[in-house]
Amino acid sequence: MKKTAFFLASLLLGSAATFAQMTCVVAHRGYWDAEGSAQNSIRALVKADSIDCYGSEFDVWMTADKKLVVNHDPDINGIHIETAKAKDVLAQKLSNGESVPTLEQYLDSSLSLKPRLILELKPHADKKHEEDAVKAIVKMVKERGLEANMEYITFSKPGFINLIKYAPKGTPILYLAGELTPREIKAMGGTGIDYHYSVLKKNPWWIDECHALNLRVNAWTVNDEKTMLWCIEHGVDIITTNAPELLQQLIREK
Ligand code: MG
């Protein structure tokens, strides 16, 4: 009887570990819904580390004078980042009092932390400028020895093509926009899809198709329990969420 109980417990623990391994949690714009935190702040990256997230996602733009900065929207306090000077962008404050981080500061802060860095290249209006951003990002990452800790995502198709071209072979590069099939992603040299969960719900066979093609599947931005469970049960590899602790709890319970 004791043996049976032990066997069942091991089986349960084993399957929980398998699920935990299978479903990775990415904090969307870092773990910003936490004390003292703000979206895309360095504090949000530190908070994502404090709860052992697999990854911390953040958004990157390049200013007119070619400084890489971390921010979600194309504008901050009326300043259009892509056409602004870095000094004007970096003078802006986040809601937690931090200044807008440069990518340099963000990467340097990550050096002592565990989460993988899920860098979203924002779609720039000037595609030459965007290509320069990709080259500068890849160079900056290399200089810090962070290549093995990076994953890249983007809505920009030219940006996706350039990330595949300039990032080292084997770097995870996932496409966000949702209109390309797994076969098209594979043919382009991408390593996976990172689609809104509604796209995956509409095309659930894409999940198995990706796995058959050795592509990873990430769903964004999943904040409610029901959709989290749907993703876990359908074999989504990575879930990006604003509620990382809730998702971690569900994975543990599965
Ligand atoms: Mg993003």
Side-chain angles (χ1 to χ4, degrees):
M1 185 65 191
K2 260 188 186 169
K3 249 188 183 174
T4 314
F6 177 73
F7 173 73
L8 284 173
S10 319
L11 206 67
L12 282 172
L13 282 171
S15 65
T18 309
F19 262 113
Q21 242 176 18
M22 282 170 62
T23 316
C24 300
V25 178
V26 168
H28 181 233
R29 303 179 200 167
Y31 188 14
W32 56 267
D33 192 13
E35 202 194 335
S37 196
Q39 296 192 0
N40 277 314
S41 64
I42 288 172
R43 176 79 177 158
L45 171 64
V46 172
K47 292 302 275 184
D49 177 61
S50 75
I51 58 163
D52 292 326
C53 284
Y54 162 84
S56 192
E57 188 263 357
F58 58 103
D59 305 288
V60 173
W61 292 97
M62 191 160 79
T63 62
D65 50 352
K66 306 215 164 184
K67 191 92 179 163
L68 294 162
V69 299
V70 179
N71 194 66
H72 179 265
D73 292 345
D75 300 273
I76 182 161
N77 301 332
I79 298 168
H80 188 55
I81 298 173
E82 192 181 338
T83 53
K85 286 201 172 127
K87 69 168 178 49
D88 297 328
V89 175
L90 299 174
Q92 304 306 310
K93 297 281 182 199
L94 305 179
S95 63
N96 68 344
E98 274 182 43
S99 297
V100 170
T102 61
L103 179 62
E104 216 165 352
Q105 289 166 336
Y106 200 90
L107 294 180
D108 287 344
S109 304
S110 81
L111 288 169
S112 58
L113 306 175
K114 302 175 297 298
R116 292 180 66 71
L117 301 178
I118 317 298
L119 187 156
E120 180 179 344
L121 169 76
K122 298 309 284 188
H124 293 61
D126 179 337
K127 292 302 167 192
K128 173 74 181 68
H129 195 61
E130 187 181 89
E131 183 172 0
D132 289 345
V134 172
K135 289 193 224 172
I137 290 166
V138 168
K139 183 169 177 273
M140 193 179 281
V141 164
K142 186 178 179 188
E143 283 165 359
R144 283 159 180 77
L146 280 168
E147 287 156 306
N149 206 34
M150 300 302 297
E151 303 197 9
Y152 295 103
I153 57 174
T154 189
F155 278 95
S156 163
K157 203 165 162 186
F160 184 58
I161 292 165
N162 281 325
L163 284 165
I164 293 164
K165 182 174 168 187
Y166 294 111
K169 283 252 166 308
T171 305
I173 301 167
L174 289 78
Y175 186 61
L176 289 164
E179 85 284 11
L180 296 176
T181 66
R183 279 184 192 285
E184 287 168 328
I185 295 286
K186 184 76 180 180
M188 291 168 80
T191 69
I193 58 172
D194 185 355
Y195 288 171
H196 189 259
Y197 61 82
S198 63
V199 176
L200 297 177
K201 280 191 163 183
K202 221 182 281 173
N203 307 280
W205 58 91
W206 278 5
I207 300 169
D208 285 344
E209 204 176 318
C210 276
H211 292 155
L213 292 166
N214 202 23
L215 298 174
R216 291 188 97 196
V217 181
N218 189 329
W220 58 270
T221 298
V222 183
N223 300 323
D224 69 281
E225 205 171 313
K226 199 173 152 210
T227 312
M228 286 174 178
L229 287 171
W230 186 92
C231 290
I232 295 167
E233 282 157 9
H234 283 78
V236 169
D237 305 296
I238 308 161
I239 300 174
T240 302
T241 180
N242 289 328
E245 289 194 275
L246 170 64
L247 178 56
Q248 286 174 330
Q249 185 194 326
L250 290 178
I251 293 167
R252 274 195 301 270
E253 286 168 4
K254 260 282 166 195

